[in-house]
Amino acid sequence: MSRVAVVTGANRGIGLAIATRLAAEGMRVVLASRSASAGEEAASRYPEHAGRISVGTLDVADRGSIVDFTRWLHRTHGRCDVLVNNAAVAIDGAQDAGTADLGLVRATLEVNLFGAWQMTQALVPAMRARGYGRIVNMSSGVGRLSAMTGGIPGYRVSKTALNALTLVFADELRADGILVNACCPGHVRTGMGGAGAERSAEAAADTPVWLAGLPPDGPTGGFFRDRRPLAW
Ligand code: NAP
């Protein structure tokens, strides 16, 4: 039976590139999208993966949506082997910490940190049941404490916290055969990264796809860019 992978925020950008790569590698992929129609439209552009991609409706900032999604996943797929916490927002780009609208900061944390946290809580029991799991948290170099600067405070803090959460879960889940890692995709041409970014979404998908298929003796509690360790 092929592995089942859930990719959040997969209707566009890097998430879509990760979902299609995982499908090309033979996994059964759930393309999770907060808009069902956007998810179906994205999936329809890859008829070659039609048998391996299914679309699930999921808003990671909505507890009820996570509960409904998890029930649907268990009913339709019966297992979950891989979770890619990719969904994120970057909505405080023009802010500095001194005057930041904390409503925007909270909204950022709700998706980028608590969304990933709640999804991990929801899907780890299915991984534990089989003694196997791979969790990939899409982070960012701007969240590194070793290279921290001002600007975009909510987004930065959300990714620093996601990095910390990666280490916490990696330690807690090590004995269950579940490997938990974070990665930075680089600066990528997406809605978030902008048209001038140097890297394609397909190229950015390489490291998370690698982490999603790690062998049992692969790393856990790591932070990677281009498959190489990155300073926290
Ligand atoms: P993107 O093009 O802006 O796509 C973001 C995705 O997240 C969309 O599918 C969006 O759905 C989804 N999303 C947002 N809020 C959601 C919610 N509440 N529930 C479910 N889905 C939600 O971003 P991207 O560039 O592909 O980024 C992917 C990941 O890489 C993110 O974690 C980002 O922080 C990280 N990253 C990106 C860059 C870069 O240069 N692009 C650099 C470093 C890190 P809708 O279509 O419904 O809005």
Side-chain angles (χ1 to χ4, degrees):
M1 201 60 146
S2 52
R3 303 252 186 239
V4 170
V6 171
V7 185
T8 69
N11 53 293
R12 60 188 171 99
I14 302 167
L16 178 59
I18 294 169
T20 53
R21 261 283 295 278
L22 291 175
E25 295 193 358
M27 290 196 196
R28 287 191 289 152
V29 177
V30 176
L31 187 161
S33 169
R34 64 178 158 177
S35 154
S37 58
E40 294 292 355
E41 192 282 319
S44 72
R45 280 184 267 140
Y46 298 88
E48 67 273 30
H49 301 318
R52 282 191 299 277
I53 293 184
S54 46
V55 175
T57 309
L58 174 68
D59 181 340
V60 302
D62 178 341
R63 179 91 199 118
S65 174
I66 292 177
V67 170
D68 290 347
F69 174 85
T70 305
R71 286 201 188 114
W72 168 85
L73 179 72
H74 291 323
R75 207 171 51 243
T76 55
H77 291 73
R79 60 191 284 172
C80 179
D81 306 289
V82 174
L83 168 63
V84 182
N85 283 311
N86 169 80
V89 292
I91 50 178
D92 72 337
Q95 302 204 99
D96 59 40
T99 56
D101 172 351
L102 294 182
L104 284 181
V105 173
R106 286 196 183 90
T108 302
L109 291 170
E110 206 56 60
V111 178
N112 299 9
L113 174 64
F114 294 113
W117 198 330
Q118 290 191 107
M119 282 305 295
T120 305
Q121 288 184 335
L123 299 188
V124 154
M127 295 180 183
R128 272 205 169 113
R130 290 176 175 270
Y132 178 96
R134 302 289 179 265
I135 299 172
V136 183
N137 291 329
M138 293 300 290
S139 185
S140 168
V142 304
R144 284 182 295 160
L145 286 172
S146 58
M148 193 57 68
T149 62
I152 50 170
Y155 184 75
R156 278 187 199 283
V157 167
S158 75
K159 295 299 189 181
T160 309
L162 182 64
N163 285 352
L165 189 67
T166 300
L167 288 169
V168 172
F169 269 124
D171 190 51
E172 291 182 1
L173 299 175
R174 194 183 305 267
D176 296 298
I178 301 172
L179 306 181
V180 188
N181 292 285
C183 66
C184 168
H187 190 203
V188 189
R189 286 189 299 280
T190 62
M192 187 182 293
E198 69 267 12
R199 186 168 281 196
S200 69
E202 290 69 31
D206 179 69
T207 296
V209 166
W210 166 64
L211 292 170
L214 286 174
D217 61 351
T220 191
F223 186 27
F224 297 91
R225 182 192 281 155
D226 296 332
R227 300 193 183 200
R228 287 192 297 272
L230 193 61
W232 294 104

